[in-house]
Amino acid sequence: MPEGPSIVILKEQVQAFKGKKILQVSGNSKIDYQQLQNKTVTDFKSWGKHFLVCCKGVTLRVHFMLFGSYRINEKKETPVRLSLEFKNGEINFYACSLKIFYENPNEIYDWSGDVMNDTWNPSKAKKKLAEIPDALVADALLNQNIFAGVGNIIKNEVLWRIKVHPKTKVGDLPKKKLNELIYEARNYSFDFLKWKKAFVLKKHWCIHTKTICPRCNIPAHKEYVGKTNRRTFFCNNCQVLY
Ligand SMILES: [Zn+2]
């Protein structure tokens, strides 16, 4: 599943279509995509794992879910969910969840809740975390209402970096660790972005998918943790359960 930084990369890859008219829309999607025909793209935006194609009065929301993908100026073998054709190229979406909406995106999205956004607001995240003291930190990091854009890889790496056990409850975190959690959710996301662009992301994973903790040189643990029940990799030795 693409995490926030991957959507930022997509946004950068489609900049050539900004200001361009959608000449042809097609695909097997059930949404009323004809609404996009002949519309000019005013902007591409992202909020967490959502990718938005904004036109005057209408916006397409793309959510890649678990198996979604896209191709720019090329096609996959599989049936296309939605294809947007421009004079200078095309964007094709596969196996993703699509939605058309007519409201102003600024009224729907709180950009300051997106860890990759320039307006990211750590104090707001802190306030929201204070409201869920019993949640496990592993679940809290995946909560898109608090950390939009954070996915499972970022979750695992952030907790390892700050040496916090994934089963620690938010309310039990020392103040210093709470601040580190919020700081690294954004900071690691930008490392992710930089490494992904250079095709070296996996090489930099410290704990995600690892069998050995590189800090302790002892076996790491893999467990499906919390309400989100996602694959969690951690070290019982250096990641403290508060
Ligand atoms: Zn360790």
Side-chain angles (χ1 to χ4, degrees), residues 132-189:
I132 52 162
D134 292 328
L136 302 186
V137 287
D139 286 335
L141 270 172
L142 291 175
N143 186 328
Q144 298 300 294
N145 290 319
I146 305 175
F147 298 107
V150 169
N152 205 41
I153 299 168
I154 298 175
K155 174 198 83 179
N156 285 330
E157 291 293 315
V158 163
L159 290 174
W160 185 82
R161 264 191 184 186
I162 67 169
K163 299 183 187 171
V164 168
H165 195 284
K167 289 183 189 170
T168 300
K169 285 182 180 174
V170 170
D172 293 336
L173 273 176
K175 214 172 174 182
K176 184 172 171 277
K177 289 294 163 186
L178 180 73
N179 289 334
E180 283 179 29
L181 179 91
I182 297 168
Y183 173 78
E184 280 298 342
R186 176 173 167 89
N187 187 47
Y188 180 81
S189 295

Side-chain angles (χ1 to χ4, degrees), residues 8-9 12 192-200:
V8 170
I9 291 172
E12 290 175 5
F192 183 121
L193 176 68
K194 179 180 72 193
W195 292 329
K196 176 125 188 165
K197 277 183 177 173
F199 306 102
V200 291

